Amino acid sequence: MMGPAHSLSGAAAWLGVGAAAAAAGHTMPWPVLLTGALICAGAALAPDLDHKAATISRAFGPVSRGLCEIVDKLSYAVYKGTRKPGDPRRSGGHRTLTHTWLWAVLIGGGASVLAVTGGRWAVLGLLFVHLVLAIEGLLWRATRGQSSDVLVWLLAAACAWILAGVLDQPGNGSGWLFTEPGQEYLWLGLPIVLGALVHDIGDALTISGCPILWPIPIGKKRWYPLGPPKMMRFRAGSWVELKVLMPAFMLLGGVGGAAALNVI
């Protein structure tokens, strides 16, 4: 799928988690619901760091472009080193390592550790990175062109500072779900894991499929392109994505948000 659909699906997924959490008796304070939805929307773009033309590759200028080169080469090396006879030969690393459940868990777990051990500046850094991506994904029409990059960074930095300040207030959610002393912001890894997995599921719906289950082998393939039957798949950017899935994500996100806030 394309960036806007990925971001919308990520936000909708976290709002759905908020509804499930409320039903289970772990209601999210509204700052957690909002912040998590934005983080998840941003994290839903992150697996495409292995693709030079993706939104994330240009979101942070030369830094993200250089990181994209490194991740692409790393992903390709891992693919070549672990492929089985049934896996096709390929020339790049797109839709390999960063599009797996293992990558999602490692990135989310690493973010949680960083948030707990790194203090306020680590939390602000995580918020900033994912808010930049969320803005790029959700407001894609307004962020086209390099001249808007600095404005996006400033907006993300301001929002990260404000949200962190709100979350730090008693009862506003810095210690949501993980309530022991020292576990504040441990939950930040959850929307990051979810965003990456939602991205992978979205890509699995397209023509090429997605090797979500790696390194678990399936038949003669270790990089099995998981997905529905061929007749149910669509091309990225097609009318199915734009006219059906994106409106559905908006609707589901609205319903999930309302349920999470006990409005319905």
Side-chain angles (χ1 to χ4, degrees), residues 105-146:
V105 171
L106 290 175
I107 293 300
S112 287
V113 171
L114 182 62
V116 170
T117 61
R120 180 175 178 80
W121 287 107
V123 171
L124 287 171
L126 288 169
L127 289 175
F128 171 73
V129 168
H130 288 91
L131 286 172
V132 167
L133 296 177
I135 293 168
E136 292 276 4
L138 297 174
L139 303 178
W140 77 97
R141 293 187 186 279
T143 58
R144 290 177 178 173
Q146 294 182 349

PDB file of all heavy atoms in Angstrom, residues 105-146:
ATOM      1  N   VAL A 105       8.917  -6.623  16.321  1.00  0.00           N
ATOM      2  CA  VAL A 105       9.100  -6.861  17.752  1.00  0.00           C
ATOM      3  C   VAL A 105      10.406  -6.251  18.246  1.00  0.00           C
ATOM      4  O   VAL A 105      10.456  -5.624  19.320  1.00  0.00           O
ATOM      5  CB  VAL A 105       9.063  -8.370  18.052  1.00  0.00           C
ATOM      6  CG1 VAL A 105       9.466  -8.644  19.498  1.00  0.00           C
ATOM      7  CG2 VAL A 105       7.666  -8.921  17.790  1.00  0.00           C
ATOM      8  N   LEU A 106      11.474  -6.399  17.479  1.00  0.00           N
ATOM      9  CA  LEU A 106      12.772  -5.854  17.885  1.00  0.00           C
ATOM     10  C   LEU A 106      12.742  -4.330  17.945  1.00  0.00           C
ATOM     11  O   LEU A 106      13.263  -3.728  18.889  1.00  0.00           O
ATOM     12  CB  LEU A 106      13.859  -6.327  16.921  1.00  0.00           C
ATOM     13  CG  LEU A 106      14.231  -7.808  16.996  1.00  0.00           C
ATOM     14  CD1 LEU A 106      15.241  -8.163  15.905  1.00  0.00           C
ATOM     15  CD2 LEU A 106      14.784  -8.153  18.367  1.00  0.00           C
ATOM     16  N   ILE A 107      12.141  -3.702  16.958  1.00  0.00           N
ATOM     17  CA  ILE A 107      12.072  -2.239  16.936  1.00  0.00           C
ATOM     18  C   ILE A 107      11.195  -1.727  18.067  1.00  0.00           C
ATOM     19  O   ILE A 107      11.549  -0.773  18.778  1.00  0.00           O
ATOM     20  CB  ILE A 107      11.525  -1.753  15.572  1.00  0.00           C
ATOM     21  CG1 ILE A 107      12.533  -2.068  14.466  1.00  0.00           C
ATOM     22  CG2 ILE A 107      11.237  -0.257  15.605  1.00  0.00           C
ATOM     23  CD1 ILE A 107      13.887  -1.407  14.644  1.00  0.00           C
ATOM     24  N   GLY A 108      10.038  -2.353  18.277  1.00  0.00           N
ATOM     25  CA  GLY A 108       9.159  -1.928  19.366  1.00  0.00           C
ATOM     26  C   GLY A 108       9.781  -2.163  20.721  1.00  0.00           C
ATOM     27  O   GLY A 108       9.704  -1.309  21.612  1.00  0.00           O
ATOM     28  N   GLY A 109      10.410  -3.327  20.905  1.00  0.00           N
ATOM     29  CA  GLY A 109      11.071  -3.608  22.175  1.00  0.00           C
ATOM     30  C   GLY A 109      12.214  -2.654  22.440  1.00  0.00           C
ATOM     31  O   GLY A 109      12.392  -2.168  23.576  1.00  0.00           O
ATOM     32  N   GLY A 110      12.985  -2.362  21.408  1.00  0.00           N
ATOM     33  CA  GLY A 110      14.077  -1.399  21.563  1.00  0.00           C
ATOM     34  C   GLY A 110      13.578  -0.014  21.934  1.00  0.00           C
ATOM     35  O   GLY A 110      14.188   0.683  22.756  1.00  0.00           O
ATOM     36  N   ALA A 111      12.450   0.392  21.345  1.00  0.00           N
ATOM     37  CA  ALA A 111      11.866   1.701  21.675  1.00  0.00           C
ATOM     38  C   ALA A 111      11.413   1.755  23.125  1.00  0.00           C
ATOM     39  O   ALA A 111      11.606   2.766  23.814  1.00  0.00           O
ATOM     40  CB  ALA A 111      10.697   1.994  20.741  1.00  0.00           C
ATOM     41  N   SER A 112      10.818   0.669  23.621  1.00  0.00           N
ATOM     42  CA  SER A 112      10.390   0.623  25.021  1.00  0.00           C
ATOM     43  C   SER A 112      11.577   0.728  25.969  1.00  0.00           C
ATOM     44  O   SER A 112      11.543   1.468  26.961  1.00  0.00           O
ATOM     45  CB  SER A 112       9.614  -0.668  25.303  1.00  0.00           C
ATOM     46  OG  SER A 112       8.332  -0.626  24.709  1.00  0.00           O
ATOM     47  N   VAL A 113      12.631  -0.015  25.671  1.00  0.00           N
ATOM     48  CA  VAL A 113      13.839   0.053  26.509  1.00  0.00           C
ATOM     49  C   VAL A 113      14.420   1.450  26.493  1.00  0.00           C
ATOM     50  O   VAL A 113      14.820   1.994  27.534  1.00  0.00           O
ATOM     51  CB  VAL A 113      14.880  -0.981  26.021  1.00  0.00           C
ATOM     52  CG1 VAL A 113      16.216  -0.779  26.734  1.00  0.00           C
ATOM     53  CG2 VAL A 113      14.371  -2.393  26.244  1.00  0.00           C
ATOM     54  N   LEU A 114      14.476   2.058  25.321  1.00  0.00           N
ATOM     55  CA  LEU A 114      15.013   3.417  25.202  1.00  0.00           C
ATOM     56  C   LEU A 114      14.176   4.408  25.986  1.00  0.00           C
ATOM     57  O   LEU A 114      14.709   5.291  26.672  1.00  0.00           O
ATOM     58  CB  LEU A 114      15.064   3.817  23.726  1.00  0.00           C
ATOM     59  CG  LEU A 114      15.657   5.204  23.413  1.00  0.00           C
ATOM     60  CD1 LEU A 114      17.112   5.264  23.851  1.00  0.00           C
ATOM     61  CD2 LEU A 114      15.541   5.494  21.914  1.00  0.00           C
ATOM     62  N   ALA A 115      12.852   4.263  25.908  1.00  0.00           N
ATOM     63  CA  ALA A 115      11.961   5.185  26.614  1.00  0.00           C
ATOM     64  C   ALA A 115      12.130   5.080  28.126  1.00  0.00           C
ATOM     65  O   ALA A 115      12.083   6.087  28.845  1.00  0.00           O
ATOM     66  CB  ALA A 115      10.512   4.905  26.229  1.00  0.00           C
ATOM     67  N   VAL A 116      12.332   3.853  28.622  1.00  0.00           N
ATOM     68  CA  VAL A 116      12.439   3.636  30.070  1.00  0.00           C
ATOM     69  C   VAL A 116      13.807   4.051  30.596  1.00  0.00           C
ATOM     70  O   VAL A 116      13.925   4.608  31.687  1.00  0.00           O
ATOM     71  CB  VAL A 116      12.156   2.156  30.406  1.00  0.00           C
ATOM     72  CG1 VAL A 116      12.494   1.855  31.864  1.00  0.00           C
ATOM     73  CG2 VAL A 116      10.697   1.827  30.143  1.00  0.00           C
ATOM     74  N   THR A 117      14.844   3.784  29.817  1.00  0.00           N
ATOM     75  CA  THR A 117      16.206   4.029  30.303  1.00  0.00           C
ATOM     76  C   THR A 117      16.774   5.383  29.878  1.00  0.00           C
ATOM     77  O   THR A 117      17.714   5.882  30.509  1.00  0.00           O
ATOM     78  CB  THR A 117      17.155   2.931  29.799  1.00  0.00           C
ATOM     79  OG1 THR A 117      17.175   2.936  28.356  1.00  0.00           O
ATOM     80  CG2 THR A 117      16.704   1.568  30.297  1.00  0.00           C
ATOM     81  N   GLY A 118      16.225   5.961  28.835  1.00  0.00           N
ATOM     82  CA  GLY A 118      16.815   7.179  28.282  1.00  0.00           C
ATOM     83  C   GLY A 118      16.282   8.479  28.833  1.00  0.00           C
ATOM     84  O   GLY A 118      16.799   9.550  28.500  1.00  0.00           O
ATOM     85  N   GLY A 119      15.223   8.413  29.625  1.00  0.00           N
ATOM     86  CA  GLY A 119      14.696   9.635  30.224  1.00  0.00           C
ATOM     87  C   GLY A 119      13.871  10.471  29.259  1.00  0.00           C
ATOM     88  O   GLY A 119      13.478  10.024  28.173  1.00  0.00           O
ATOM     89  N   ARG A 120      13.636  11.708  29.658  1.00  0.00           N
ATOM     90  CA  ARG A 120      12.720  12.585  28.918  1.00  0.00           C
ATOM     91  C   ARG A 120      13.172  12.831  27.477  1.00  0.00           C
ATOM     92  O   ARG A 120      12.353  12.839  26.564  1.00  0.00           O
ATOM     93  CB  ARG A 120      12.574  13.918  29.648  1.00  0.00           C
ATOM     94  CG  ARG A 120      11.625  14.900  28.939  1.00  0.00           C
ATOM     95  CD  ARG A 120      11.412  16.160  29.741  1.00  0.00           C
ATOM     96  NE  ARG A 120      10.560  17.106  29.043  1.00  0.00           N
ATOM     97  CZ  ARG A 120       9.234  17.039  28.995  1.00  0.00           C
ATOM     98  NH1 ARG A 120       8.616  16.053  29.607  1.00  0.00           N
ATOM     99  NH2 ARG A 120       8.535  17.939  28.342  1.00  0.00           N
ATOM    100  N   TRP A 121      14.471  13.013  27.264  1.00  0.00           N
ATOM    101  CA  TRP A 121      14.929  13.330  25.923  1.00  0.00           C
ATOM    102  C   TRP A 121      14.758  12.145  24.968  1.00  0.00           C
ATOM    103  O   TRP A 121      14.516  12.327  23.773  1.00  0.00           O
ATOM    104  CB  TRP A 121      16.383  13.807  25.950  1.00  0.00           C
ATOM    105  CG  TRP A 121      16.494  15.182  26.517  1.00  0.00           C
ATOM    106  CD1 TRP A 121      16.981  15.543  27.737  1.00  0.00           C
ATOM    107  CD2 TRP A 121      16.059  16.403  25.885  1.00  0.00           C
ATOM    108  NE1 TRP A 121      16.873  16.901  27.920  1.00  0.00           N
ATOM    109  CE2 TRP A 121      16.328  17.459  26.806  1.00  0.00           C
ATOM    110  CE3 TRP A 121      15.470  16.714  24.662  1.00  0.00           C
ATOM    111  CZ2 TRP A 121      16.027  18.789  26.516  1.00  0.00           C
ATOM    112  CZ3 TRP A 121      15.180  18.042  24.374  1.00  0.00           C
ATOM    113  CH2 TRP A 121      15.452  19.055  25.282  1.00  0.00           C
ATOM    114  N   ALA A 122      14.889  10.940  25.500  1.00  0.00           N
ATOM    115  CA  ALA A 122      14.639   9.756  24.672  1.00  0.00           C
ATOM    116  C   ALA A 122      13.164   9.687  24.273  1.00  0.00           C
ATOM    117  O   ALA A 122      12.830   9.382  23.120  1.00  0.00           O
ATOM    118  CB  ALA A 122      15.041   8.489  25.422  1.00  0.00           C
ATOM    119  N   VAL A 123      12.279   9.976  25.233  1.00  0.00           N
ATOM    120  CA  VAL A 123      10.848   9.993  24.942  1.00  0.00           C
ATOM    121  C   VAL A 123      10.532  11.057  23.891  1.00  0.00           C
ATOM    122  O   VAL A 123       9.796  10.809  22.929  1.00  0.00           O
ATOM    123  CB  VAL A 123      10.036  10.236  26.225  1.00  0.00           C
ATOM    124  CG1 VAL A 123       8.558  10.483  25.896  1.00  0.00           C
ATOM    125  CG2 VAL A 123      10.176   9.050  27.170  1.00  0.00           C
ATOM    126  N   LEU A 124      11.108  12.232  24.061  1.00  0.00           N
ATOM    127  CA  LEU A 124      10.874  13.301  23.098  1.00  0.00           C
ATOM    128  C   LEU A 124      11.391  12.922  21.715  1.00  0.00           C
ATOM    129  O   LEU A 124      10.757  13.227  20.696  1.00  0.00           O
ATOM    130  CB  LEU A 124      11.548  14.593  23.566  1.00  0.00           C
ATOM    131  CG  LEU A 124      10.880  15.312  24.737  1.00  0.00           C
ATOM    132  CD1 LEU A 124      11.768  16.445  25.243  1.00  0.00           C
ATOM    133  CD2 LEU A 124       9.510  15.860  24.328  1.00  0.00           C
ATOM    134  N   GLY A 125      12.541  12.244  21.665  1.00  0.00           N
ATOM    135  CA  GLY A 125      13.085  11.810  20.380  1.00  0.00           C
ATOM    136  C   GLY A 125      12.176  10.819  19.679  1.00  0.00           C
ATOM    137  O   GLY A 125      11.929  10.929  18.478  1.00  0.00           O
ATOM    138  N   LEU A 126      11.666   9.847  20.439  1.00  0.00           N
ATOM    139  CA  LEU A 126      10.746   8.864  19.853  1.00  0.00           C
ATOM    140  C   LEU A 126       9.471   9.532  19.360  1.00  0.00           C
ATOM    141  O   LEU A 126       8.971   9.220  18.268  1.00  0.00           O
ATOM    142  CB  LEU A 126      10.406   7.796  20.894  1.00  0.00           C
ATOM    143  CG  LEU A 126      11.515   6.805  21.243  1.00  0.00           C
ATOM    144  CD1 LEU A 126      11.131   5.978  22.462  1.00  0.00           C
ATOM    145  CD2 LEU A 126      11.817   5.894  20.061  1.00  0.00           C
ATOM    146  N   LEU A 127       8.945  10.448  20.166  1.00  0.00           N
ATOM    147  CA  LEU A 127       7.739  11.160  19.746  1.00  0.00           C
ATOM    148  C   LEU A 127       8.004  11.985  18.495  1.00  0.00           C
ATOM    149  O   LEU A 127       7.208  11.966  17.546  1.00  0.00           O
ATOM    150  CB  LEU A 127       7.247  12.064  20.876  1.00  0.00           C
ATOM    151  CG  LEU A 127       6.647  11.374  22.095  1.00  0.00           C
ATOM    152  CD1 LEU A 127       6.311  12.410  23.172  1.00  0.00           C
ATOM    153  CD2 LEU A 127       5.388  10.596  21.728  1.00  0.00           C
ATOM    154  N   PHE A 128       9.122  12.695  18.469  1.00  0.00           N
ATOM    155  CA  PHE A 128       9.438  13.545  17.323  1.00  0.00           C
ATOM    156  C   PHE A 128       9.519  12.739  16.030  1.00  0.00           C
ATOM    157  O   PHE A 128       8.898  13.088  15.018  1.00  0.00           O
ATOM    158  CB  PHE A 128      10.757  14.281  17.571  1.00  0.00           C
ATOM    159  CG  PHE A 128      11.274  15.003  16.366  1.00  0.00           C
ATOM    160  CD1 PHE A 128      10.668  16.172  15.918  1.00  0.00           C
ATOM    161  CD2 PHE A 128      12.374  14.509  15.651  1.00  0.00           C
ATOM    162  CE1 PHE A 128      11.138  16.836  14.790  1.00  0.00           C
ATOM    163  CE2 PHE A 128      12.848  15.166  14.534  1.00  0.00           C
ATOM    164  CZ  PHE A 128      12.230  16.337  14.096  1.00  0.00           C
ATOM    165  N   VAL A 129      10.285  11.652  16.050  1.00  0.00           N
ATOM    166  CA  VAL A 129      10.468  10.841  14.832  1.00  0.00           C
ATOM    167  C   VAL A 129       9.136  10.333  14.312  1.00  0.00           C
ATOM    168  O   VAL A 129       8.824  10.451  13.114  1.00  0.00           O
ATOM    169  CB  VAL A 129      11.416   9.660  15.127  1.00  0.00           C
ATOM    170  CG1 VAL A 129      11.379   8.653  13.973  1.00  0.00           C
ATOM    171  CG2 VAL A 129      12.833  10.160  15.339  1.00  0.00           C
ATOM    172  N   HIS A 130       8.313   9.808  15.201  1.00  0.00           N
ATOM    173  CA  HIS A 130       7.052   9.212  14.747  1.00  0.00           C
ATOM    174  C   HIS A 130       6.005  10.271  14.402  1.00  0.00           C
ATOM    175  O   HIS A 130       5.142  10.033  13.543  1.00  0.00           O
ATOM    176  CB  HIS A 130       6.530   8.234  15.798  1.00  0.00           C
ATOM    177  CG  HIS A 130       7.340   6.979  15.863  1.00  0.00           C
ATOM    178  ND1 HIS A 130       8.422   6.834  16.717  1.00  0.00           N
ATOM    179  CD2 HIS A 130       7.267   5.820  15.148  1.00  0.00           C
ATOM    180  CE1 HIS A 130       8.954   5.641  16.539  1.00  0.00           C
ATOM    181  NE2 HIS A 130       8.280   5.011  15.597  1.00  0.00           N
ATOM    182  N   LEU A 131       6.074  11.432  15.032  1.00  0.00           N
ATOM    183  CA  LEU A 131       5.149  12.498  14.660  1.00  0.00           C
ATOM    184  C   LEU A 131       5.492  13.076  13.294  1.00  0.00           C
ATOM    185  O   LEU A 131       4.596  13.427  12.518  1.00  0.00           O
ATOM    186  CB  LEU A 131       5.158  13.597  15.728  1.00  0.00           C
ATOM    187  CG  LEU A 131       4.435  13.242  17.024  1.00  0.00           C
ATOM    188  CD1 LEU A 131       4.662  14.322  18.083  1.00  0.00           C
ATOM    189  CD2 LEU A 131       2.950  13.042  16.791  1.00  0.00           C
ATOM    190  N   VAL A 132       6.785  13.187  12.975  1.00  0.00           N
ATOM    191  CA  VAL A 132       7.165  13.614  11.624  1.00  0.00           C
ATOM    192  C   VAL A 132       6.576  12.662  10.591  1.00  0.00           C
ATOM    193  O   VAL A 132       5.975  13.074   9.594  1.00  0.00           O
ATOM    194  CB  VAL A 132       8.703  13.677  11.476  1.00  0.00           C
ATOM    195  CG1 VAL A 132       9.095  13.808  10.003  1.00  0.00           C
ATOM    196  CG2 VAL A 132       9.278  14.842  12.261  1.00  0.00           C
ATOM    197  N   LEU A 133       6.725  11.359  10.843  1.00  0.00           N
ATOM    198  CA  LEU A 133       6.196  10.372   9.903  1.00  0.00           C
ATOM    199  C   LEU A 133       4.674  10.416   9.836  1.00  0.00           C
ATOM    200  O   LEU A 133       4.082  10.288   8.752  1.00  0.00           O
ATOM    201  CB  LEU A 133       6.667   8.976  10.309  1.00  0.00           C
ATOM    202  CG  LEU A 133       8.175   8.728  10.242  1.00  0.00           C
ATOM    203  CD1 LEU A 133       8.510   7.323  10.744  1.00  0.00           C
ATOM    204  CD2 LEU A 133       8.688   8.919   8.826  1.00  0.00           C
ATOM    205  N   ALA A 134       4.031  10.610  10.990  1.00  0.00           N
ATOM    206  CA  ALA A 134       2.567  10.682  11.001  1.00  0.00           C
ATOM    207  C   ALA A 134       2.067  11.872  10.199  1.00  0.00           C
ATOM    208  O   ALA A 134       1.097  11.766   9.431  1.00  0.00           O
ATOM    209  CB  ALA A 134       2.060  10.758  12.439  1.00  0.00           C
ATOM    210  N   ILE A 135       2.723  13.006  10.354  1.00  0.00           N
ATOM    211  CA  ILE A 135       2.332  14.205   9.606  1.00  0.00           C
ATOM    212  C   ILE A 135       2.538  13.972   8.106  1.00  0.00           C
ATOM    213  O   ILE A 135       1.686  14.311   7.277  1.00  0.00           O
ATOM    214  CB  ILE A 135       3.134  15.431  10.079  1.00  0.00           C
ATOM    215  CG1 ILE A 135       2.746  15.783  11.522  1.00  0.00           C
ATOM    216  CG2 ILE A 135       2.886  16.631   9.167  1.00  0.00           C
ATOM    217  CD1 ILE A 135       3.667  16.792  12.176  1.00  0.00           C
ATOM    218  N   GLU A 136       3.685  13.389   7.756  1.00  0.00           N
ATOM    219  CA  GLU A 136       3.967  13.104   6.345  1.00  0.00           C
ATOM    220  C   GLU A 136       2.936  12.145   5.759  1.00  0.00           C
ATOM    221  O   GLU A 136       2.533  12.274   4.600  1.00  0.00           O
ATOM    222  CB  GLU A 136       5.366  12.497   6.203  1.00  0.00           C
ATOM    223  CG  GLU A 136       6.505  13.449   6.527  1.00  0.00           C
ATOM    224  CD  GLU A 136       6.892  14.315   5.348  1.00  0.00           C
ATOM    225  OE1 GLU A 136       6.224  14.233   4.301  1.00  0.00           O
ATOM    226  OE2 GLU A 136       7.862  15.080   5.473  1.00  0.00           O
ATOM    227  N   GLY A 137       2.507  11.170   6.560  1.00  0.00           N
ATOM    228  CA  GLY A 137       1.567  10.174   6.051  1.00  0.00           C
ATOM    229  C   GLY A 137       0.134  10.658   6.010  1.00  0.00           C
ATOM    230  O   GLY A 137      -0.567  10.482   5.005  1.00  0.00           O
ATOM    231  N   LEU A 138      -0.319  11.271   7.104  1.00  0.00           N
ATOM    232  CA  LEU A 138      -1.727  11.666   7.202  1.00  0.00           C
ATOM    233  C   LEU A 138      -2.033  12.954   6.443  1.00  0.00           C
ATOM    234  O   LEU A 138      -3.151  13.143   5.978  1.00  0.00           O
ATOM    235  CB  LEU A 138      -2.111  11.832   8.674  1.00  0.00           C
ATOM    236  CG  LEU A 138      -2.029  10.557   9.527  1.00  0.00           C
ATOM    237  CD1 LEU A 138      -2.289  10.889  10.991  1.00  0.00           C
ATOM    238  CD2 LEU A 138      -3.027   9.509   9.041  1.00  0.00           C
ATOM    239  N   LEU A 139      -1.053  13.836   6.335  1.00  0.00           N
ATOM    240  CA  LEU A 139      -1.255  15.120   5.645  1.00  0.00           C
ATOM    241  C   LEU A 139      -0.390  15.176   4.394  1.00  0.00           C
ATOM    242  O   LEU A 139       0.272  16.165   4.125  1.00  0.00           O
ATOM    243  CB  LEU A 139      -0.912  16.284   6.584  1.00  0.00           C
ATOM    244  CG  LEU A 139      -1.675  16.328   7.912  1.00  0.00           C
ATOM    245  CD1 LEU A 139      -1.197  17.492   8.764  1.00  0.00           C
ATOM    246  CD2 LEU A 139      -3.179  16.456   7.672  1.00  0.00           C
ATOM    247  N   TRP A 140      -0.413  14.092   3.623  1.00  0.00           N
ATOM    248  CA  TRP A 140       0.527  13.969   2.525  1.00  0.00           C
ATOM    249  C   TRP A 140       0.395  15.067   1.496  1.00  0.00           C
ATOM    250  O   TRP A 140       1.374  15.504   0.902  1.00  0.00           O
ATOM    251  CB  TRP A 140       0.388  12.591   1.878  1.00  0.00           C
ATOM    252  CG  TRP A 140      -0.800  12.424   0.982  1.00  0.00           C
ATOM    253  CD1 TRP A 140      -0.820  12.535  -0.362  1.00  0.00           C
ATOM    254  CD2 TRP A 140      -2.153  12.110   1.374  1.00  0.00           C
ATOM    255  NE1 TRP A 140      -2.082  12.304  -0.854  1.00  0.00           N
ATOM    256  CE2 TRP A 140      -2.922  12.038   0.185  1.00  0.00           C
ATOM    257  CE3 TRP A 140      -2.772  11.873   2.596  1.00  0.00           C
ATOM    258  CZ2 TRP A 140      -4.286  11.758   0.201  1.00  0.00           C
ATOM    259  CZ3 TRP A 140      -4.118  11.581   2.614  1.00  0.00           C
ATOM    260  CH2 TRP A 140      -4.859  11.533   1.437  1.00  0.00           C
ATOM    261  N   ARG A 141      -0.805  15.560   1.263  1.00  0.00           N
ATOM    262  CA  ARG A 141      -0.979  16.603   0.246  1.00  0.00           C
ATOM    263  C   ARG A 141      -0.317  17.912   0.666  1.00  0.00           C
ATOM    264  O   ARG A 141       0.215  18.651  -0.161  1.00  0.00           O
ATOM    265  CB  ARG A 141      -2.464  16.843  -0.014  1.00  0.00           C
ATOM    266  CG  ARG A 141      -3.186  15.667  -0.667  1.00  0.00           C
ATOM    267  CD  ARG A 141      -4.600  16.034  -1.057  1.00  0.00           C
ATOM    268  NE  ARG A 141      -5.345  14.894  -1.551  1.00  0.00           N
ATOM    269  CZ  ARG A 141      -5.267  14.424  -2.786  1.00  0.00           C
ATOM    270  NH1 ARG A 141      -4.467  15.012  -3.659  1.00  0.00           N
ATOM    271  NH2 ARG A 141      -5.980  13.361  -3.153  1.00  0.00           N
ATOM    272  N   ALA A 142      -0.357  18.196   1.971  1.00  0.00           N
ATOM    273  CA  ALA A 142       0.211  19.457   2.474  1.00  0.00           C
ATOM    274  C   ALA A 142       1.720  19.394   2.674  1.00  0.00           C
ATOM    275  O   ALA A 142       2.357  20.426   2.854  1.00  0.00           O
ATOM    276  CB  ALA A 142      -0.456  19.826   3.805  1.00  0.00           C
ATOM    277  N   THR A 143       2.299  18.192   2.649  1.00  0.00           N
ATOM    278  CA  THR A 143       3.734  18.063   2.939  1.00  0.00           C
ATOM    279  C   THR A 143       4.554  17.709   1.709  1.00  0.00           C
ATOM    280  O   THR A 143       5.726  17.355   1.824  1.00  0.00           O
ATOM    281  CB  THR A 143       3.969  16.969   4.005  1.00  0.00           C
ATOM    282  OG1 THR A 143       3.440  15.725   3.540  1.00  0.00           O
ATOM    283  CG2 THR A 143       3.300  17.344   5.312  1.00  0.00           C
ATOM    284  N   ARG A 144       3.964  17.822   0.542  1.00  0.00           N
ATOM    285  CA  ARG A 144       4.723  17.545  -0.673  1.00  0.00           C
ATOM    286  C   ARG A 144       5.727  18.655  -0.928  1.00  0.00           C
ATOM    287  O   ARG A 144       5.444  19.828  -0.740  1.00  0.00           O
ATOM    288  CB  ARG A 144       3.790  17.414  -1.867  1.00  0.00           C
ATOM    289  CG  ARG A 144       2.935  16.149  -1.840  1.00  0.00           C
ATOM    290  CD  ARG A 144       1.985  16.096  -3.006  1.00  0.00           C
ATOM    291  NE  ARG A 144       1.204  14.863  -3.016  1.00  0.00           N
ATOM    292  CZ  ARG A 144       0.208  14.626  -3.841  1.00  0.00           C
ATOM    293  NH1 ARG A 144      -0.127  15.522  -4.741  1.00  0.00           N
ATOM    294  NH2 ARG A 144      -0.450  13.484  -3.788  1.00  0.00           N
ATOM    295  N   GLY A 145       6.913  18.279  -1.384  1.00  0.00           N
ATOM    296  CA  GLY A 145       7.935  19.266  -1.698  1.00  0.00           C
ATOM    297  C   GLY A 145       8.909  19.468  -0.552  1.00  0.00           C
ATOM    298  O   GLY A 145       8.531  19.490   0.612  1.00  0.00           O
ATOM    299  N   GLN A 146      10.171  19.624  -0.872  1.00  0.00           N
ATOM    300  CA  GLN A 146      11.203  19.748   0.148  1.00  0.00           C
ATOM    301  C   GLN A 146      11.085  21.025   0.965  1.00  0.00           C
ATOM    302  O   GLN A 146      11.569  21.090   2.085  1.00  0.00           O
ATOM    303  CB  GLN A 146      12.581  19.682  -0.513  1.00  0.00           C
ATOM    304  CG  GLN A 146      12.885  18.322  -1.148  1.00  0.00           C
ATOM    305  CD  GLN A 146      14.272  18.263  -1.746  1.00  0.00           C
ATOM    306  OE1 GLN A 146      14.946  19.283  -1.875  1.00  0.00           O
ATOM    307  NE2 GLN A 146      14.705  17.069  -2.114  1.00  0.00           N
TER     308      GLN A 146
END
